[in-house]
Amino acid sequence: KKGDTKITCTACNGSFHLGCLDPPLTTEAYNRLDLDEFLCSKCLPCRGCYQTDTAFGSCPQVMPPTLSFPDNESLDLCSMCVKAYDRRQFCPNCAHSWDDDHFQRVQRQIRWQ
């Protein structure tokens, strides 16, 4: 649409209408952004695996109460890490998610302590 505000990702140079972002961005949130460092959801690294999900992107999730994050940070996860978080397979300190094998090894080590 002509005249609609657009924002450009600094990594991929993709241009997006505020309402077309996932999740949509309000005008108020847009005004608070540092436009020199904006990353779209496909370029934003996942907080669980530190990878970028170029197919679906990383989306903000509800912060689990056991996760110790500063108030100004969001929990953006890729689709695979959302599943790990649903199974509670993540570190409460750094938010890194674990696959089943790694998770079971860590759980055995914790039981032996």
Side-chain angles (χ1 to χ4, degrees):
K1 301 174 189 176
K2 277 193 172 184
D4 279 357
T5 304
K6 286 188 174 182
I7 189 167
T8 302
C9 175
T10 55
C12 69
N13 290 323
S15 186
F16 305 91
H17 293 107
L18 300 184
C20 295
L21 290 169
D22 184 21
L25 193 62
T26 64
T27 306
E28 295 80 28
Y30 170 78
N31 292 332
R32 291 190 306 260
L33 280 178
D34 179 2
L35 299 178
D36 293 330
E37 297 180 13
F38 173 75
L39 294 176
C40 69
S41 64
K42 291 182 180 183
C43 294
L44 185 67
C46 171
R47 293 299 297 257
C49 64
Y50 309 113
Q51 303 296 313
T52 54
D53 185 349
T54 57
F56 301 106
S58 295
C59 297
Q61 303 295 316
V62 174
M63 193 83 64
T66 57
L67 194 59
S68 56
F69 256 35
D71 290 337
N72 62 340
E73 292 189 28
S74 64
L75 180 64
D76 298 299
L77 298 175
C78 67
S79 57
M80 293 304 292
C81 287
V82 167
K83 294 174 186 174
Y85 267 70
D86 288 343
R87 294 187 304 266
R88 301 203 183 287
Q89 294 177 328
F90 62 91
C91 175
N93 294 318
C94 71
H96 194 268
S97 62
W98 296 327
D99 62 19
D100 286 332
D101 294 333
H102 184 219
F103 182 72
Q104 294 304 324
R105 276 195 313 271
V106 170
Q107 289 301 310
R108 282 193 294 276
Q109 289 173 349
I110 291 171
R111 283 191 291 260
W112 284 99
Q113 292 179 356

